[in-house]
Amino acid sequence: MRSISIQKQLLKNTTTTSIILAVLGFLAVSGTVIYHHSQVFDELLAGNANALLGKSDVYPDIEYSLQHLNDEMDIEYQVINQNGQILNQTLYAPSTPYLQEFNDQSYYNIWQNGKWLRVYTAYNHGLNRYVQIAQPWRQRFDFALPVIANYMAFVAVVLLVLALSNFWVIRKTLRPLKALQDEVASRHLQDLSSIQPTIIISETRPLLDAINQLFERLIIAKESQERFTADASHELRTPLAAVDMKLQLMGRKFADQPDLVGMLTDARLDVKRSTQLVESLLTLARLDNEQVSQKQTVLVRELPRLLQGVIDEFADKFSENHSQFMTDWERCLGDYRTLCVHTDLLFVAIRNLLDNALKYGGHQTRICLQILTDEQGVRAGVLDDGVGVSAKVQHKLTERFFRVLGTNRQGSGLGLSIVAKIAQYHHGQVQIGQGLDGTGLGVFISLPFALH
């Protein structure tokens, strides 16, 4: 998917168009300036040629005047008789005529001595002599250059002002679109009300209508999902609880039949696993639909006290598994920074991590509940020194219903999926790696600090 910015595109297009027009204007103005300068210099060459031939009394002392013109404008002339002999010339004029063949009162462009020259020729029939007067084109360009440079400076200022004004106008014009973006971004599953901005760009009206229609469909889907979750919670929990109770009663009734009691005990374990599976699925459903209560602010130093209840739940299980349990949270006891968390969901996450360590770590393992802090937030996790998991499949552990092949432990494959969903709900993430002393498995959930 290719993403583009309307603001950048508009700025790019308007700026490119302005630059193209400026370049075209520069070429037109430069051509006009050079043309008019050339016309003036052509008239100057013709006037001085006529004066040299005695056809004009504008310059009574023409040779003196041409000397100044030669110094200022690099104009050279030759006065030649009908035999082709040079009668008079300026200091730097060539010793041979510029042109051997020419017409009266005509202009020529010639290449001589490494430069282009503009030459004017005139003939006086009464005196039987003619004049060739020349000026380098470079000199004409030098006179036109200041005018062109001033125009370029003016165009540069205009382009800068135009770019700034375009940026301001485009940004102001697109402000309703930014407001619409913020409105859409602020919506969540608990607030899918239609968006009614005070100002809207007419071209985005179909998009806004489509978004509002999508919100309406999401509301319907959300309500259906909530009804399903509520119905499943009742329809699944109640029968399973009833089955468990009947199995328990049957176990008491037939206590004198050990084989039957063993079968009933296995059946109760299956019911218990089914109940846990239902609870996990309902938890995921509630997290997917954000059907959870509001978060609360908790000091980092209070986490050990809050999690102690979860640890107490596993005390007997640690003993049965002959596991050594330890904590590593001393570094957070003096931390007064705050977290914005849903405590019940945090308990579920830590409970699932401890349960996984007990189930899949093996007997007589060491299990550590660790809480670390850094500049971004808190990392709470469980590490063990058990059998561990291959690094190739660690990234799949948070997928729903994924279970590592070769394990002989019963499980639903949803424990770490729930942990990942809880981390996502808290704008955090799950990190999986090695456990204690580089062995086993370590799973952490990161929780960012609360924004003040």
Side-chain angles (χ1 to χ4, degrees):
M1 182 177 66
R2 181 169 173 259
S3 176
I4 62 173
S5 169
I6 296 178
Q7 179 172 318
K8 290 182 179 179
Q9 287 295 318
L10 289 174
L11 282 173
K12 178 182 177 181
N13 292 339
T14 55
T15 302
T16 302
T17 303
S18 300
I19 291 175
I20 292 174
L21 292 176
V23 170
L24 293 176
F26 167 75
L27 294 175
V29 170
S30 298
T32 303
V33 170
I34 293 173
Y35 173 77
H36 286 292
H37 272 72
S38 181
Q39 290 289 97
V40 172
F41 281 113
D42 282 349
E43 293 177 2
L44 181 62
L45 293 181
N48 284 286
N50 291 330
L52 287 168
L53 291 173
K55 295 181 178 181
S56 172
D57 57 356
V58 176
Y59 304 106
D61 192 356
I62 185 60
E63 294 185 1
Y64 178 78
S65 300
L66 282 176
Q67 184 62 43
H68 284 283
L69 287 175
N70 179 58
D71 294 339
E72 295 178 6
M73 304 180 185
D74 203 11
I75 293 177
E76 308 287 350
Y77 71 87
Q78 298 170 334
V79 179
I80 308 169
N81 62 18
Q82 59 182 355
N83 298 322
Q85 296 177 338
I86 297 178
L87 303 178
N88 191 13
Q89 68 177 63
T90 50
L91 180 61
Y92 298 105
S95 57
T96 59
Y98 287 106
L99 296 167
Q100 299 297 330
E101 296 181 0
F102 58 90
N103 296 320
D104 186 23
Q105 297 182 355
S106 299
Y107 294 95
Y108 299 90
N109 295 310
I110 65 171
W111 176 261
Q112 189 178 87
N113 297 329
K115 55 186 176 181
W116 283 100
L117 299 175
R118 181 72 164 173
V119 180
Y120 176 78
T121 60
Y123 185 73
N124 189 321
H125 296 277
L127 298 177
N128 289 325
R129 63 181 182 178
Y130 58 89
V131 170
Q132 294 185 357
I133 185 167
Q135 182 186 33
W137 270 105
R138 178 187 55 78
Q139 191 69 21
R140 298 189 175 197
F141 291 141
D142 289 345
F143 273 89
L145 188 60
V147 178
I148 297 174
N150 291 335
Y151 174 76
M152 289 180 60
F154 172 75
V155 169
V157 173
V158 170
L159 284 177
L160 178 61
V161 173
L162 185 61
L164 294 175
S165 61
N166 281 344
F167 176 78
W168 181 80
V169 170
I170 292 173
R171 188 170 184 178
K172 183 178 180 181
T173 303
L174 295 180
R175 195 170 296 165
L177 188 60
K178 180 64 169 61
L180 177 61
Q181 175 189 340
D182 295 339
E183 282 283 346
V184 175
S186 67
R187 291 296 190 270
H188 50 82
L189 283 178
Q190 304 305 322
D191 180 16
L192 293 174
S193 57
S194 62
I195 300 174
Q196 300 295 336
T198 55
I199 301 176
I200 184 171
I201 301 174
S202 59
E203 286 78 6
T204 62
R205 169 62 69 178
L207 175 62
L208 177 60
D209 293 339
I211 291 174
N212 286 333
Q213 292 172 9
L214 176 61
F215 284 169
E216 292 176 2
R217 293 194 294 271
L218 286 174
I219 290 174
I220 296 173
K222 178 174 175 289
E223 291 174 350
S224 300
Q225 184 71 20
E226 289 175 352
R227 285 194 299 269
F228 167 78
T229 302
D231 293 343
S233 176
H234 175 73
E235 297 296 333
L236 294 176
R237 284 174 177 170
T238 303
L240 288 173
V243 170
D244 183 64
M245 183 177 294
K246 289 179 180 179
L247 291 172
Q248 185 178 3
L249 291 175
M250 290 177 66
R252 292 176 182 175
K253 182 178 180 179
F254 300 101
D256 57 343
Q257 301 182 32
D259 293 339
L260 180 59
V261 170
M263 295 174 62
L264 293 174
T265 301
D266 291 340
R268 287 194 66 192
L269 290 175
D270 290 336
V271 171
K272 182 179 180 182
R273 284 194 292 269
S274 298
T275 303
Q276 292 174 344
L277 176 60
V278 170
E279 292 290 345
S280 298
L281 289 172
L282 293 176
T283 299
L284 282 173
R286 285 193 295 269
L287 288 170
D288 287 337
N289 292 290
E290 299 183 7
Q291 298 174 18
V292 291
S293 57
Q294 296 295 322
K295 302 173 187 175
Q296 63 188 57
T297 301
V298 175
L299 290 175
V300 174
R301 66 186 302 271
E302 294 178 354
L303 287 178
R305 178 181 60 81
L306 293 174
L307 296 178
Q308 187 61 48
V310 180
I311 297 173
D312 294 339
E313 292 179 15
F314 282 82
D316 293 339
K317 296 180 180 180
F318 291 144
S319 298
E320 294 174 3
N321 198 56
H322 302 288
S323 297
Q324 178 186 353
F325 178 75
M326 65 191 78
T327 60
D328 180 12
W329 56 34
E330 288 75 13
R331 280 166 286 188
C332 73
L333 294 177
D335 198 325
Y336 285 86
R337 287 176 289 187
T338 59
L339 299 170
C340 188
V341 298
H342 189 291
T343 53
D344 290 341
L345 292 181
L346 180 60
F347 296 161
V348 171
I350 298 301
R351 188 181 294 114
N352 285 356
L353 294 180
L354 290 173
D355 188 59
N356 270 13
L358 278 171
K359 280 184 180 179
Y360 306 109
H363 291 285
Q364 299 180 349
T365 56
R366 290 185 300 149
I367 299 175
C368 178
L369 173 57
Q370 189 177 75
I371 301 177
L372 305 173
T373 60
D374 53 28
E375 295 298 324
Q376 284 73 40
V378 171
R379 293 175 67 243
V382 174
L383 303 93
D384 63 64
D385 61 354
V387 295
V389 177
S390 170
K392 295 181 179 179
V393 298
Q394 285 182 0
H395 66 283
K396 296 183 178 181
L397 293 179
T398 56
E399 296 179 4
R400 298 185 182 188
F401 301 107
F402 176 81
R403 300 184 70 243
V404 178
L405 296 177
T407 58
N408 56 1
R409 297 283 183 161
Q410 296 290 337
S412 63
L414 292 175
L416 290 183
S417 299
I418 294 175
V419 174
K421 197 67 182 180
I422 292 172
Q424 180 182 348
Y425 177 75
H426 289 89
H427 306 290
Q429 59 183 351
V430 170
Q431 299 167 335
I432 302 176
Q434 292 182 331
L436 295 172
D437 302 327
T439 62
L441 186 68
V443 183
F444 284 88
I445 176 174
S446 63
L447 304 171
F449 289 124
L451 299 177
H452 297 286

